[in-house]
Amino acid sequence: MRLLALAAAVLALFVGATTHAARTVTSTGTINPAAIPLGGKPYVGATPRVGYIDSCQTSFNGGGAAVAGPWINTKDGTWDEATKIAVSGAVKWSSASFSATTTGDSRVLTFNDLPTNHTTGVFPIASSDAAYAYDKNPNHIAAHQTTWKIALNPTPASKPACLPMGAIGVLTDGVYLYNGLDAAGRDAAAYEVLDSCGGHPDESSSYHHHDVPPCLVSKAPNGTATLVGYALDGYGIYVVKDSAGNMPSNTDLDACHGTTSAVPWNGKEQSVYHYVATLEYPYTLGCYHGTPISASAGSGGTKGGGGQGGPPTGGPPGGGSKPPPPPPGGGPRP
């Protein structure tokens, strides 16, 4: 009996040691959705590092949520996904479209930045919405007809490229994907009040996600890898779950938030490099593994009430004449 008790105690210690919760975005362990490690500054770097965003922009003074919500525990450096509020409303977008086709050695993505398979909240955020107490996002959602031609079979660049503010890819719901930072350099998924599918518009009226939102993650089956988007360098973005529904953490991935393994790609299972979604910052990409195309979507300005900002000169939200935003493709740092 004593031997059995000792064996049980040793097993309990082993299980506890291997299932402890990660306390920071760079530490090992499982991710507790009620205490997700906070990212943003200081996890913004000028070189690729696991758990960081290699950001082209290194100075932040933008807008975003004005008040840290009660779901954020600044003392422990965590946030609670379950208790975070969402922008109210359920707006349907019947004109939404998304397609991915191939031509030669290119993949052609055609979409209008309106969600094809879920609703959005009501934006601008109404003063009567509980979300308004934390985030007064004044921006509208508008269609942005977009066509990107990316590599069908991307190859690694000679060295990783930094991530810009603005679009770094698109998810299969037809919505722009931005990096994990808000305009103030904080963890966007934690601080900004988003709608029920993790989206909101910036000053350019571009609706966007900062992560692969729960409404898409929940649709991905257990025990497999599901393609949920494409980065501007051509590589796929996947939700990967084990048989119990657990997702990888940062320490399972490289500095660009990716890995090489067998996934469905171009119609067949093959071992290729790809980005992997995680529950914690930086959520999708930490840097570009390949060479991104130059694409104009979102601006990464620093004036906004939501997202990463709108036109550099701050055009009127939801309409009117706006100057074209600068391209968000990676490259030299400002």
Side-chain angles (χ1 to χ4, degrees):
M1 293 295 291
R2 289 182 178 178
L3 287 175
L4 288 175
L6 179 61
V10 171
L11 178 60
L13 285 172
F14 175 77
V15 171
T18 57
T19 59
H20 68 278
R23 300 298 299 273
T24 71
V25 296
T26 59
S27 62
T28 59
T30 59
I31 303 302
N32 178 2
I36 301 173
L38 272 174
K41 295 180 294 187
Y43 300 103
V44 180
T47 56
R49 295 175 62 183
V50 171
Y52 282 62
I53 287 179
D54 176 17
S55 177
C56 302
Q57 181 172 319
T58 56
S59 177
F60 302 91
N61 60 354
V67 179
W71 57 88
I72 296 176
N73 186 329
T74 54
K75 179 181 178 181
D76 290 345
T78 62
W79 66 283
D80 186 343
E81 182 181 63
T83 61
K84 183 184 178 186
I85 64 172
V87 175
S88 63
V91 181
K92 296 181 180 179
W93 301 90
S94 59
S95 62
S97 63
F98 174 82
S99 69
T101 59
T102 60
T103 176
D105 59 359
S106 297
R107 190 184 319 277
V108 180
L109 305 173
T110 304
F111 58 99
N112 63 358
D113 191 37
L114 298 176
T116 60
N117 56 9
H118 61 83
T119 60
T120 71
V122 174
F123 293 94
I125 298 177
S127 59
S128 58
D129 191 328
Y132 190 82
Y134 309 101
D135 191 333
K136 296 176 172 58
N137 190 330
N139 304 313
H140 296 73
I141 297 173
H144 297 271
Q145 191 59 46
T146 304
T147 300
W148 290 342
K149 184 179 286 188
I150 59 176
L152 184 64
N153 292 293
T155 56
S158 58
K159 61 180 180 179
C162 60
L163 297 181
M165 306 298 270
I168 61 172
V170 63
L171 298 186
T172 52
D173 62 350
V175 171
Y176 291 137
L177 174 66
Y178 286 19
N179 70 39
L181 298 168
D182 70 5
R186 302 172 300 185
D187 185 327
Y191 279 89
E192 300 201 288
V193 184
L194 312 172
D195 63 22
S196 61
C197 199
H200 67 164
D202 65 11
E203 283 189 10
S204 65
S205 300
S206 299
Y207 183 71
H208 60 277
H209 301 299
H210 290 279
D211 63 359
V212 178
C215 66
L216 298 186
V217 171
S218 64
K219 295 176 182 178
N222 293 352
T224 188
T226 303
L227 179 67
V228 294
Y230 301 93
L232 287 176
D233 61 0
Y235 286 105
I237 302 167
Y238 288 78
V239 169
V240 179
K241 297 180 182 177
D242 65 17
S243 58
N246 299 309
M247 295 167 62
S249 62
N250 289 344
T251 54
D252 297 313
L253 307 171
D254 68 12
C256 285
H257 217 61
T259 189
T260 299
S261 64
V263 293
W265 183 244
N266 293 339
K268 62 181 180 180
E269 191 90 2
Q270 52 183 313
S271 183
V272 294
Y273 184 86
H274 55 280
Y275 300 111
V276 180
T278 56
L279 293 177
E280 79 275 32
Y281 172 98
Y283 304 108
T284 57
L285 274 69
C287 53
Y288 285 123
H289 183 71
T291 303
I293 64 167
S294 177
S296 183
S299 75
T302 57
K303 295 175 176 282
Q308 295 181 20
T313 55
S321 176
K322 303 189 183 102
R333 301 171 198 281

